[in-house]
């Protein structure tokens, strides 16, 4: 009998493109069979950015839902058509979609992901699970982060204190501590790559600062760093989640006005330090803590070097060391969440999202 496998589709706040992974799960471990990425064409990225800034008409929103649904289908077909796919039975697709708005603390809280799952089911002929966040929100939760349950299932070890830090556009942390009385918890620490990307795009036209090379030309501006770190979000207790609605170019501009002596590369370097320090400050102070990084930030050499320096004596490495390539962890989480949904098992952790209880997440679109 072929092993059962699931497809995870993810595109995060960086809006760099869609990650697709074909993965099977056994005894709490994930095995990656195939991967595929589909980058967003520039016009799509621009339109998504506009929508995420609360600009655009209902027509534009609807059309983008369709267009992103087609691109998510392409990403899924990329792994479905791989040679490795013939060795497994594909049970379902878990599609996160593309978040354009996430407003968990509004009076009428909502989270909006584009990428019509009806199209994905239709184009692939595979059962598709999507809309994972809103049931948790309906139960009073933040709807985010949802990946800690997966991190616990894959990486949790009763005798170890470990943290998984996903550095996408926003950075989120899962704390998997061995002390029995401490429950697993997780939250968004704040900016991951989002601010670095926004400043780099604005100043150089490049969508990100490869390996932190431009940042490396500047110096940390301590006054600016201190000012930015005084933002109330960093001191908020968990559960908490955030997005690019908050941490964006406008946010940077309000702070740099007060520090006209900071050069472009100083600002880039300071934003890198902000990501590092805001993560380090929010790590649990546990003995022998091991920190594993995933997401695109793990590919930024200067960021990783600074994380290692600032988090010392805690050891910092990538999730490769615990069996999963950092690029595929998030997409694999949505494959796992689809499996949970179809098995009628909850996917949220109330201690993480603040929901009233565990809930079976998502909606199912039959083939
Ligand atoms: N070589 C690199 N150097 C610096 N940053 C990188 C590199 N590779 C990826 N990144 C960063 O990772 C981001 C994408 O990370 P990803 O985990 O896909 O985020 P998201 O989940 O928000 O889509 C890019 O926008 C970029 O900031
Ligand atoms: Mg991405």
């Amino acid at each position: 009998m072929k092993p059962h496998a699931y497809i995870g589709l993810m595109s995060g706040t960086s809006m760099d493109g869609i990650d697709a992974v074909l993965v099977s799960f056994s005894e709490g471990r994930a095995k990656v069979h195939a991967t595929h990425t589909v980058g967003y064409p520039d016009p799509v990225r621009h339109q998504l950015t506009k929508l995420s800034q609360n600009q655009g008409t209902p027509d534009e929103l609807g059309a983008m839902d369709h267009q992103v649904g087609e691109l998510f289908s392409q990403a899924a077909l990329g792994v479905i058509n791989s040679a490795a796919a013939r060795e497994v039975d594909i049970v379902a697709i878990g599609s996160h979609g593309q978040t354009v708005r996430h407003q968990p603390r509004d009076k009428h809280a909502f989270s909006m992901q584009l990428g019509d799952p009806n199209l994905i089911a239709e184009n692939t002929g595979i059962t598709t699970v999507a809309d994972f966040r809103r049931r948790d929100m309906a139960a009073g939760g933040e709807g985010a982060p949802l990946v800690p349950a997966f991190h616990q299932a894959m990486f949790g070890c009763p005798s170890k204190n470990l943290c998984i830090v996903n550095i996408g556009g926003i950075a989120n942390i899962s704390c998997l501590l061995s002390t029995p009385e401490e429950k697993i918890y997780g939250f968004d620490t704040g900016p991951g790559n989002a601010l670095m990307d926004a400043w780099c795009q604005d100043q150089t036209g490049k969508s990100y600062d490869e390996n932190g090379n431009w940042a490396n030309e500047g110096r940390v501006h301590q006054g600016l760093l201190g000012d930015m770190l005084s933002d109330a979000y960093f001191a908020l207790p968990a559960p908490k989640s955030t997005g690019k609605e908050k941490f964006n170019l406008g946010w940077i501009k309000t702070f740099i006005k007060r520090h006209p002596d900071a050069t472009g590369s100083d600002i880039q370097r300071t934003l890198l330090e902000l990501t590092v320090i805001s993560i380090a400050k929010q790590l649990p102070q546990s003995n022998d803590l091991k920190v594993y990084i995933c997401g695109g930030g793990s590919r930024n050499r200067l960021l990783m070097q600074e994380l290692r320096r600032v988090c010392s004596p805690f050891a910092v490495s990538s999730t490769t060391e615990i069996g999963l390539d950092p690029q595929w962890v998030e997409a694999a989480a949505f494959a796992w969440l689809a499996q949970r949904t179809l098995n009628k098992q909850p996917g949220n952790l109330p201690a993480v999202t603040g929901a009233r209880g565990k809930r079976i997440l998502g909606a199912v679109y039959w083939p």
Side-chain angles (χ1 to χ4, degrees):
M1 206 179 76
K2 291 178 181 176
H4 284 177
Y6 295 79
I7 294 171
L9 302 177
M10 176 70 197
S11 177
T13 48
S14 302
M15 295 180 179
D16 53 326
I18 305 146
D19 297 324
V21 65
L22 178 64
V23 63
S24 59
F25 305 103
S26 74
E27 286 158 20
R29 292 293 173 259
K31 182 176 175 197
V32 173
H33 298 271
T35 63
H36 190 72
T37 54
V38 171
Y40 282 133
D42 281 341
V44 172
R45 183 172 319 137
H46 290 148
Q47 183 76 5
L48 285 170
T49 304
K50 216 176 93 176
L51 291 167
S52 74
Q53 291 163 357
N54 210 13
Q55 298 159 19
T57 64
D59 274 359
E60 288 172 330
L61 193 66
M64 196 42 53
D65 188 34
H66 183 112
Q67 207 172 341
V68 173
E70 295 288 3
L71 291 166
F72 269 67
S73 304
Q74 271 179 32
L77 289 168
V79 293
I80 292 166
N81 294 329
S82 68
R86 289 196 281 276
E87 311 298 319
V88 296
D89 271 332
I90 304 176
V91 180
I93 294 170
S95 178
H96 173 267
Q98 177 65 59
T99 299
V100 284
R101 305 291 289 165
H102 181 70
Q103 313 279 67
R105 295 196 172 210
D106 282 11
K107 179 165 176 252
H108 300 295
F110 73 97
S111 185
M112 184 179 282
Q113 283 77 38
L114 302 187
D116 185 2
N118 294 286
L119 281 172
I120 303 173
E122 191 66 28
N123 289 335
T124 61
I126 295 174
T127 303
T128 300
V129 187
D131 193 7
F132 287 96
R133 299 198 186 274
R134 292 196 298 167
R135 181 60 189 269
D136 181 83
M137 292 177 92
E142 297 261 330
L146 294 180
V147 289
F150 171 72
H151 290 161
Q152 183 189 35
M154 292 301 117
F155 307 126
C157 173
S159 61
K160 284 190 188 145
N161 291 321
L162 45 102
C163 271
I164 312 294
V165 184
N166 171 50
I167 308 182
I170 297 298
N172 60 271
I173 182 171
S174 301
C175 303
L176 316 170
L177 305 179
S178 63
T179 324
E181 61 267 26
E182 279 187 273
K183 284 193 206 131
I184 168 183
Y185 65 101
F187 54 92
D188 289 345
T189 56
N193 301 295
L195 296 177
M196 290 187 279
D197 284 358
W199 185 246
C200 183
Q201 175 78 53
D202 185 63
Q203 296 290 302
T204 71
K206 292 185 192 147
S207 59
Y208 67 90
D209 178 22
E210 176 96 38
N211 282 320
N213 287 337
W214 183 41
N216 211 14
E217 293 171 17
R219 287 179 172 198
V220 176
H221 188 294
Q222 293 299 339
L224 176 60
L225 178 63
D227 239 8
M228 288 176 160
L229 281 168
S230 69
D231 186 287
Y233 184 81
F234 300 116
L236 270 182
K240 59 178 175 176
S241 64
T242 187
K244 288 215 297 196
E245 295 86 345
K246 176 175 174 68
F247 292 110
N248 54 30
L249 189 61
W251 188 90
I252 299 172
K253 285 186 172 165
T254 57
F255 286 98
I256 58 178
K257 262 193 258 162
R258 294 179 229 156
H259 301 280
D261 57 319
T263 67
S265 59
D266 288 347
I267 293 167
Q268 188 71 11
R269 180 67 185 80
T270 305
L271 293 170
L272 184 142
E273 205 65 15
L274 175 71
T275 292
V276 169
I277 296 205
S278 58
I279 290 170
K281 270 194 164 174
Q282 296 180 79
L283 289 174
Q285 297 302 304
S286 304
N287 290 336
D288 305 326
L289 185 72
K290 290 200 181 340
V291 182
Y292 297 98
I293 311 289
C294 60
S298 67
R299 301 215 290 262
N300 181 331
R301 208 178 301 134
L302 182 61
L303 183 70
M304 288 298 286
Q305 183 188 309
E306 275 302 285
L307 274 168
R308 288 200 175 92
R309 185 182 67 78
V310 172
C311 296
S312 168
F314 299 150
V316 177
S317 49
S318 101
T319 53
T320 307
E321 301 229 340
I322 43 175
L324 200 50
D325 184 305
Q327 188 176 348
W328 308 113
V329 175
E330 294 290 286
F334 285 89
W336 183 83
L337 283 166
Q339 183 191 38
R340 300 283 296 179
T341 302
L342 292 174
N343 290 344
K344 298 196 172 65
Q345 292 169 310
N348 64 337
L349 292 173
V352 173
T353 63
R356 283 186 288 277
K358 292 187 171 185
R359 295 290 184 271
I360 301 169
L361 305 179
V364 182
Y365 299 76
W366 300 105

